[in-house]
Amino acid sequence: MQVFENGVVELEHVKLLEATNDEHGGVIVEMEEPMAPQAFATVLTASMLHWKHQGKRGVWIKLPINLVNLVETAVKAGFWYHHAEPNYLMLVYWIPETANTLPANASHRVGVGAIVLNAKRELLVVREKSGKFQAIGLWKIPTGIVDEGEDISKAAMREVKEETGIDTEFLEILAFRQSHKSFFGKSSLFFICMLRPLSFDIQKQEQEIEAAQWLPLDEYAAQPFVQKTQLFKFTTELCLAKINKSYTGFLRHPTTSIFGNRPGYLYFNSRDLNLSNCDD
Amino acid sequence: MQVFENGVVELEHVKLLEATNDEHGGVIVEMEEPMAPQAFATVLTASMLHWKHQGKRGVWIKLPINLVNLVETAVKAGFWYHHAEPNYLMLVYWIPETANTLPANASHRVGVGAIVLNAKRELLVVREKSGKFQAIGLWKIPTGIVDEGEDISKAAMREVKEETGIDTEFLEILAFRQSHKSFFGKSSLFFICMLRPLSFDIQKQEQEIEAAQWLPLDEYAAQPFVQKTQLFKFTTELCLAKINKSYTGFLRHPTTSIFGNRPGYLYFNSRDLNLSNCDD
């Protein structure tokens, strides 16, 4: 087998795309070097026949955005879109006659809200510079989106730091909400986190935050929009329950994955269940 | 303003793409009708100037897969990929000089595992036909992926029904785990759910399931792989804690969203906190 620089291999005088096997009987092609669409069409046709002959199942082609000129060729060859990120498009094809068992694309966006209470029963709140909450002048808890690859707990601490300058320690997840059709049809998970403040002098972020303050919980709760909105009233109730020490959420514990290759956090009610050999 | 059939509008003798405003100062173009790439390039250039003049921010172009011939033109005009689903590609451009505040793509896949115990302390378990667990002959709880738009609780009931034929009622979420770099770099959330069986005669699914049975909890726990794997031992501990009635997870309560437009479920420890006016 001869390997060329542009990601093409030659096997018994037929040029094929260089591919690696995945764990599910399929192959992955990561295109990197520029190629003319016609040349790509030829080598793709030969490669598909080769993979079919080998009994391969899913075929993945990852095209960086600078190879956008090859997208149409792949679609004309029967590929469809699987997912895209700013700098690449992933296309996929299913060779067998049976229904495909290809894994689905990411389906959920994940958000966090941070409850940060000081010893004076004051809640850390912000007023946003734009959006629906700005219009009604609402004092609300810091919120934000969990980045891909970011722990929920760390995202909550990061958002508080970014919006208010306050350093915090993550305590627990008090509740979460799942909803659908939030953004381009994707589903959404929103985690309400309890954090302990480690600093108290507010330095608000300029770009998105109009104002930030420690607001007495009674004043937060008395806002008309909080009064009439179930999810905001719920925030008040959670704050009161935490002040009374009568509520337990899910604490986090570091874990390894089943096959030991991917660390992560397990969240559960550890007042009710002590997990041996697993302290934070 | 004159509107043509192919999604082009004419404004003061300049042809523009038909667009709707989004809620964040941007515009959305949903291409539907075929167009030649050169014609698209011309009308896109004129449209971009028009939107910039209007002070628009983000520009979204949704291209169905049958209009794949226009992808290259959009990328050459400076657009990049935002996300893709099997039948369309979403491209985006940010007009202002400032850093973009475009919402991120979906970042997480969501999975469920179902703990179903009968009155004899037997756990509903399956053996899979392929994959890593098949190789070691593991009896494991039913698991699966939450579809976009599907409630976690319903996904758990659906997977149990599909894999074993058992009807169930959702009780609560006992714990969840977040991990990263799971699939094409996406993050993952896995929810362990407690369900009550409503039927008991197993009818296993043919395609993916080798065998299914009610297994005494002791025998489940005694499997060597369960013994040595933290996450599986944890499942045993959760089962025992539920049998002893000493553990409380998060129950679900239907909610409306903040602006009342999107229903969903709120999950929290409702032994510790009663949410008024919000019963399932």
Side-chain angles (χ1 to χ4, degrees):
Chain A
M1 187 166 79
Q2 190 182 351
V3 180
F4 295 88
E5 276 185 4
N6 62 351
V8 170
V9 295
E10 186 170 324
L11 186 72
E12 292 168 4
H13 306 294
V14 179
K15 287 193 169 67
L16 302 174
L17 290 166
E18 195 176 352
T20 54
N21 293 320
D22 68 20
E23 290 179 4
H24 309 281
V27 291
I28 305 171
V29 176
E30 297 205 29
M31 297 293 292
E32 287 172 7
E33 299 301 323
M35 195 183 291
Q38 186 51 53
F40 180 60
T42 304
V43 71
L44 180 58
T45 303
S47 302
M48 293 297 283
L49 282 170
H50 176 68
W51 294 322
K52 187 171 183 176
H53 185 70
Q54 286 188 315
K56 295 297 181 192
R57 291 149 54 93
V59 178
W60 303 88
I61 298 180
K62 183 176 177 177
L63 285 179
I65 194 164
N66 64 309
L67 301 189
V68 62
N69 64 321
L70 305 183
V71 175
E72 188 176 357
T73 306
V75 171
K76 282 184 173 164
F79 282 74
W80 62 89
Y81 306 141
H82 186 270
H83 67 275
E85 294 297 328
N87 58 352
Y88 78 88
L89 176 63
M90 183 70 83
L91 296 121
V92 72
Y93 185 86
W94 183 250
I95 294 176
E97 304 279 320
T98 55
N100 89 60
T101 58
L102 297 165
N105 190 0
S107 55
H108 283 64
R109 296 179 78 215
V110 179
V112 285
I115 293 183
V116 187
L117 282 165
N118 67 17
K120 291 185 279 185
R121 296 173 71 114
E122 292 171 333
L123 181 65
L124 183 62
V125 292
V126 298
R127 259 188 180 153
E128 294 179 344
K129 276 196 175 170
S130 63
K132 289 176 175 174
F133 298 131
Q134 185 271 333
I136 55 176
L138 184 76
W139 289 106
K140 59 178 276 296
I141 61 172
T143 56
I145 297 296
V146 179
D147 295 330
E148 193 171 295
E150 185 179 37
D151 290 317
I152 292 166
S153 50
K154 286 169 189 165
M157 292 187 285
R158 174 181 56 73
E159 287 290 348
V160 171
K161 179 71 177 174
E162 282 177 11
E163 294 191 0
T164 69
I166 299 293
D167 294 308
T168 56
E169 172 191 13
F170 177 83
L171 295 178
E172 60 181 347
I173 287 172
L174 300 177
F176 65 90
R177 182 171 185 275
Q178 187 192 24
S179 60
H180 305 297
K181 307 267 174 203
S182 71
F183 175 72
F184 293 122
K186 294 289 175 180
S187 296
S188 158
L189 278 161
F190 183 82
F191 292 87
I192 301 175
C193 301
M194 182 87 195
L195 310 179
R196 176 187 296 143
L198 299 176
S199 70
F200 300 91
D201 289 338
I202 291 172
Q203 293 209 312
K204 78 174 182 72
Q205 190 223 46
E206 286 305 316
Q207 199 189 342
E208 294 170 18
I209 303 299
E210 180 63 41
Q213 67 168 328
W214 292 101
L215 184 69
L217 188 54
D218 297 345
E219 291 181 38
Y220 168 82
Q223 296 180 96
F225 193 80
V226 170
Q227 290 279 332
K228 73 176 189 187
T229 306
Q230 185 193 42
L231 284 173
F232 285 120
K233 277 185 82 166
F234 183 63
T235 307
T236 310
E237 295 185 37
L238 285 172
C239 289
L240 289 170
K242 286 315 293 185
I243 289 170
N244 302 337
K245 302 190 197 311
S246 62
Y247 184 85
T248 306
F250 282 3
L251 273 70
R252 68 171 181 170
H253 293 256
T255 60
T256 53
S257 61
I258 290 164
F259 291 100
N261 49 346
R262 289 187 291 117
Y265 283 109
L266 191 61
Y267 293 84
F268 65 99
N269 183 340
S270 51
R271 183 186 63 185
D272 289 359
L273 187 73
N274 281 308
L275 190 60
S276 49
N277 310 320
C278 187
D279 281 337
D280 199 346
Chain B
M1 186 166 77
Q2 190 180 351
V3 180
F4 296 87
E5 276 184 5
N6 62 352
V8 170
V9 295
E10 186 170 324
L11 187 72
E12 292 168 5
H13 304 294
V14 180
K15 287 195 169 65
L16 302 174
L17 290 166
E18 195 177 352
T20 54
N21 293 321
D22 68 21
E23 290 179 4
H24 308 281
V27 292
I28 305 172
V29 176
E30 297 206 28
M31 297 293 293
E32 286 172 7
E33 299 300 324
M35 194 182 291
Q38 186 51 52
F40 180 60
T42 304
V43 72
L44 181 57
T45 303
S47 302
M48 294 296 285
L49 283 169
H50 177 67
W51 294 322
K52 186 171 183 177
H53 186 69
Q54 286 188 315
K56 295 296 181 191
R57 291 149 54 95
V59 178
W60 303 88
I61 298 181
K62 183 176 177 176
L63 285 179
I65 194 165
N66 64 309
L67 302 188
V68 62
N69 63 321
L70 305 183
V71 175
E72 189 176 355
T73 305
V75 170
K76 281 183 173 164
F79 282 74
W80 62 89
Y81 306 141
H82 186 271
H83 67 275
E85 293 296 327
N87 58 353
Y88 78 89
L89 176 63
M90 184 70 83
L91 296 121
V92 71
Y93 185 87
W94 182 250
I95 294 177
E97 303 279 322
T98 55
N100 89 60
T101 58
L102 297 164
N105 189 1
S107 55
H108 284 64
R109 297 178 78 215
V110 179
V112 285
I115 292 182
V116 187
L117 282 165
N118 67 17
K120 291 185 281 185
R121 296 173 71 112
E122 292 171 333
L123 181 64
L124 183 62
V125 292
V126 299
R127 258 188 182 153
E128 294 178 344
K129 276 196 174 168
S130 63
K132 289 176 176 174
F133 297 131
Q134 185 271 334
I136 55 174
L138 184 77
W139 288 106
K140 59 178 275 296
I141 61 172
T143 57
I145 297 296
V146 179
D147 294 331
E148 194 171 294
E150 185 178 37
D151 289 316
I152 292 165
S153 50
K154 286 168 189 165
M157 291 188 285
R158 174 181 55 73
E159 287 289 348
V160 171
K161 180 71 177 174
E162 282 178 9
E163 295 192 0
T164 69
I166 298 294
D167 295 308
T168 56
E169 172 192 11
F170 176 83
L171 295 178
E172 60 181 346
I173 286 172
L174 300 178
F176 65 89
R177 182 171 185 275
Q178 187 192 25
S179 60
H180 305 295
K181 307 267 175 203
S182 71
F183 175 71
F184 292 122
K186 294 289 174 179
S187 296
S188 158
L189 278 160
F190 183 83
F191 292 87
I192 301 174
C193 301
M194 183 86 194
L195 310 179
R196 176 188 296 142
L198 299 176
S199 70
F200 300 91
D201 289 338
I202 291 171
Q203 294 209 311
K204 76 174 184 71
Q205 190 223 47
E206 288 304 317
Q207 200 189 341
E208 294 169 19
I209 304 299
E210 179 63 40
Q213 67 167 329
W214 292 101
L215 185 69
L217 188 55
D218 296 347
E219 292 181 36
Y220 168 82
Q223 296 180 96
F225 193 81
V226 171
Q227 289 280 330
K228 73 174 189 189
T229 307
Q230 185 192 42
L231 283 173
F232 285 119
K233 277 184 82 165
F234 182 63
T235 308
T236 309
E237 294 184 38
L238 285 172
C239 289
L240 289 170
K242 287 314 294 184
I243 288 170
N244 301 337
K245 302 191 196 311
S246 61
Y247 185 86
T248 305
F250 281 3
L251 271 70
R252 67 171 183 171
H253 293 257
T255 61
T256 53
S257 61
I258 290 164
F259 292 99
N261 49 346
R262 290 186 292 115
Y265 283 108
L266 191 60
Y267 293 84
F268 64 99
N269 183 340
S270 52
R271 183 187 63 186
D272 288 358
L273 187 73
N274 281 308
L275 190 60
S276 50
N277 310 321
C278 188
D279 282 337
D280 199 346

